[in-house]
Amino acid sequence: MTKHAHEEKKIERHPQIAVLTFSDTRSEQNDESGKIIHALLSEHNYQVTNYHIIKDNSELIHRATITLVEKNTDIIITNGGTGFSKTDCSIQTIEPLFEKKITGFGELFRYLSFVEISSSAMLSNASAGIIKNTVLFLLPGSPKAVRLGMKKLIIPEIHHLLWLLNG
């Protein structure tokens, strides 16, 4: 089996990875989904360089996202705020900022969710895209959804994405 060029090329530095939890009710103590993201990244030798819990507020979400992009963060992984409640606004706030959308991420996430949980997967607004040289993944807030997205989609492609953006 041949290796892909991105598997052979070493990344010169550790990627800057931020985790944002969008919630009106979570704190660092009870942010189970944020802890899952941290743990799964750590298991694969990635470090979280920024972690914040942001209220479900469009202005606060926009400001936090732009600040991390301007700090040259490589990857931002968000959880929460993707649903249909009146306060959920992460998709509506962040997607318009995308210069490129990673359409396949949402499609695959919903397919994998459908396999696991059935038709309610269609209610998932998981999304991904690129702003400048920053890759953003917008995950639902449930621990099960976060685990699925991280294990099946995000972690397997981190190195490849970094190679594509910086290679």
Side-chain angles (χ1 to χ4, degrees), residues 28-139:
E28 284 190 38
Q29 292 74 32
N30 68 6
D31 181 16
E32 186 179 347
S33 292
K35 290 176 185 176
I36 290 168
I37 295 169
H38 276 84
L40 291 171
L41 288 168
S42 181
E43 283 176 24
H44 291 86
N45 298 315
Y46 294 109
Q47 294 179 333
V48 174
T49 55
N50 282 284
Y51 166 66
H52 303 283
I53 297 175
I54 310 294
K55 297 281 185 204
D56 278 319
N57 172 286
S58 188
E59 184 179 321
L60 297 175
I61 290 170
H62 184 273
R63 188 178 320 137
T65 302
I66 294 301
T67 298
L68 288 169
V69 168
E70 288 174 351
K71 286 183 176 182
N72 297 316
T73 304
D74 296 297
I75 298 171
I76 301 171
I77 303 169
T78 75
N79 72 92
T82 64
F84 293 96
S85 78
K86 289 180 183 180
T87 60
D88 289 332
C89 62
S90 65
I91 297 293
Q92 295 79 5
T93 302
I94 297 174
E95 272 192 352
L97 302 173
F98 289 165
E99 294 164 6
K100 291 185 179 183
K101 188 170 180 182
I102 305 171
T103 308
F105 177 79
E107 293 167 351
L108 283 171
F109 183 86
R110 280 179 285 284
Y111 169 75
L112 294 169
S113 295
F114 176 75
V115 170
E116 282 193 16
I117 62 171
S118 78
S119 62
S120 64
M122 72 178 159
L123 302 176
S124 171
N125 279 323
S127 185
I130 299 169
I131 305 171
K132 294 188 180 177
N133 246 21
T134 302
V135 181
L136 292 93
F137 294 101
L138 287 65
L139 293 169

Side-chain angles (χ1 to χ4, degrees), residues 41 75 77-78 105 137-139 146 148-159 161:
L41 288 168
I75 298 171
I77 303 169
T78 75
F105 177 79
F137 294 101
L138 287 65
L139 293 169
V146 164
L148 173 76
M150 290 297 295
K151 286 184 173 184
K152 299 280 186 174
L153 300 171
I154 297 172
I155 289 173
E157 290 302 319
I158 286 177
H159 194 81
L161 281 164

